[in-house]
């Protein structure tokens, strides 16, 4: 199992670290355009191997896509990160060109690979990869929902005063501050609806805090977060590499599912060795459907800014 991570910055390096620590991949390749940067990150990570007990080989390369040849899974984290006050959508001009070039170069050397898109605006970048490559739809996956759901569960556990292992919940919709749809109605604590433990207004605050989770961290850190995005990616990669058939909310191309067409947006999917093996359609309430449609309109508006 060979995994390539494009972009050796904080998010990309975290992806590589978590994938290596889980020790299911034989090789992780880090690629970056900054001279020596990926090589240095790879060397630093390899020097933790004996300490963290993994045998995954991590290598780095400066822009040499031939080193990525034969990758089973590739992760695109490259692009400029958010700064305080920026929306994900404001990154589209620069990041679209980067993602288009990167995906083309990756597929040239790994034509049967599965692509996981992390670069923002994530739903639109995932859609761009669909429109500019010949990969089947099941092999192009946007990461956002897995991260948003992890942030949702963090906020739920905080509100409940419960261990996070007790909590389950999901965020669908667009990976944006306005587009996320935290499914508070379906969130549970050990199979019991969380509404049995906390009041409606507190649950609404959990949803609101979840939706600005990335912006909150960007304000605190001065740049985008990296630990949780890296962990979210590693979860998706492991589900595919180990054929786990796990359900994650991911950005995928919809063709009638949820009443939506010709856009990539976060919905629950089953992940296995073929990438997206099934889109799971859940019954949404009228309010949730309305929020999902509103989110889809926002994603389509951003997609309209693309130049193919």
């Amino acid at each position: 199992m060979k995994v390539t991570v494009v972009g050796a910055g904080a998010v990309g390096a975290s992806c590589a670290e978590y994938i290596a620590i889980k020790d299911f991949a034989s090789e992780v390749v880090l690629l970056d355009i900054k001279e020596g940067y990926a090589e240095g990150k790879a060397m630093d990570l390899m020097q933790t191997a004996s300490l963290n007990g993994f045998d995954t080989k991590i290598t780095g390369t400066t822009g040499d896509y031939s080193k990525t040849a034969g990758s089973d899974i590739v992760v695109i984290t490259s692009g400029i990160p958010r700064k305080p006050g920026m929306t994900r959508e404001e990154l589209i001009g620069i990041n679209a060109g980067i993602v288009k070039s990167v995906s083309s170069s990756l597929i040239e050397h790994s034509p049967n690979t599965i692509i996981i898109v992390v670069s923002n605006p994530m739903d639109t970048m995932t859609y761009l990869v669909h429109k500019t490559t010949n990969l089947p739809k099941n092999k192009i996956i946007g990461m956002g929902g897995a991260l948003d759901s992890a942030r949702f569960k963090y906020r739920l556990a905080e509100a409940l005063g419960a261990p996070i292992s007790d909590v389950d919940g999901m965020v669908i919709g667009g990976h944006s501050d306005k587009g996320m749809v935290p499914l508070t109605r379906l969130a549970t604590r050990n199979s019991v609806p969380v509404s049995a433990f906390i009041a409606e207004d507190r649950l609404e605050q959990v949803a609101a805090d979840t939706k600005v989770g990335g912006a909150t961290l960007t304000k605190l850190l001065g740049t985008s977060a990296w630990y949780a995005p890296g962990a979210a990616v590693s979860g998706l990669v492991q589900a595919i590499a180990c054929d786990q058939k796990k359900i994650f909310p991911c950005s995928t191309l919809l063709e009638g599912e949820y009443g939506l067409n010709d856009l990539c947006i976060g919905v629950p999917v089953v992940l296995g060795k073929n990438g997206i093996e099934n889109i799971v359609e859940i019954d949404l309430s009228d309010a949730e459907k309305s929020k999902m449609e509103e989110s889809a309109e926002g994603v389509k508006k951003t997609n309209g800014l693309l130049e193919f």
Side-chain angles (χ1 to χ4, degrees), residues 1-5 12-13 15-21 24-31 42 45-46 56-60 67 237:
M1 175 59 56
K2 181 175 180 177
V3 180
T4 287
V5 180
C15 291
E17 179 181 20
Y18 291 134
I19 290 167
I21 285 175
F24 59 83
S26 57
E27 182 180 4
V28 175
V29 178
L30 270 173
L31 183 146
L45 285 168
M46 280 304 296
T56 301
K57 179 183 178 182
I58 307 172
T59 59
K67 300 286 181 65
V237 172

Side-chain angles (χ1 to χ4, degrees), residues 257-275:
E257 301 90 349
Y258 291 88
L260 301 172
N261 277 287
D262 194 35
L263 83 162
C264 295
I265 198 168
V267 296
V269 302
V270 176
L271 290 183
K273 63 182 180 181
N274 298 310

Side-chain angles (χ1 to χ4, degrees), residues 17-81:
E17 179 181 20
Y18 291 134
I19 290 167
I21 285 175
K22 291 180 178 181
D23 214 21
F24 59 83
S26 57
E27 182 180 4
V28 175
V29 178
L30 270 173
L31 183 146
D32 203 279
I33 60 170
K34 185 177 179 181
E35 187 68 40
Y37 195 64
E39 291 88 338
K41 287 288 186 79
M43 186 182 295
D44 192 14
L45 285 168
M46 280 304 296
Q47 289 170 5
T48 74
S50 62
L51 300 168
N52 286 327
F54 65 81
D55 293 314
T56 301
K57 179 183 178 182
I58 307 172
T59 59
T61 179
T62 303
D64 183 358
Y65 282 87
S66 69
K67 300 286 181 65
T68 73
S71 293
D72 299 282
I73 304 168
V74 298
V75 181
I76 302 176
T77 73
S78 46
I80 58 170

Side-chain angles (χ1 to χ4, degrees), residues 105 124 134 157 294 305:
S105 298
T124 296
N134 292 317
E294 184 180 343
L305 301 174

Side-chain angles (χ1 to χ4, degrees), residues 22 24 234-248 270-273 277:
K22 291 180 178 181
F24 59 83
S234 75
L236 303 187
V237 172
Q238 185 175 24
I240 296 166
C242 300
D243 196 25
Q244 291 178 329
K245 315 295 188 188
K246 292 187 74 170
I247 292 179
F248 286 93
V270 176
L271 290 183
K273 63 182 180 181
E277 304 209 341

Side-chain angles (χ1 to χ4, degrees), residues 227-305:
Y227 295 124
V233 171
S234 75
L236 303 187
V237 172
Q238 185 175 24
I240 296 166
C242 300
D243 196 25
Q244 291 178 329
K245 315 295 188 188
K246 292 187 74 170
I247 292 179
F248 286 93
C250 296
S251 189
T252 184
L253 183 67
L254 298 185
E255 297 174 308
E257 301 90 349
Y258 291 88
L260 301 172
N261 277 287
D262 194 35
L263 83 162
C264 295
I265 198 168
V267 296
V269 302
V270 176
L271 290 183
K273 63 182 180 181
N274 298 310
I276 294 174
E277 304 209 341
N278 187 34
I279 294 174
V280 180
E281 291 199 66
I282 54 179
D283 291 329
L284 300 178
S285 68
D286 289 343
E288 290 160 352
K289 287 178 183 176
S290 178
K291 289 176 182 176
M292 190 65 164
E293 289 166 2
E294 184 180 343
S295 179
E297 286 304 312
V299 172
K300 285 185 175 181
K301 184 177 179 181
T302 306
N303 289 351
L305 301 174

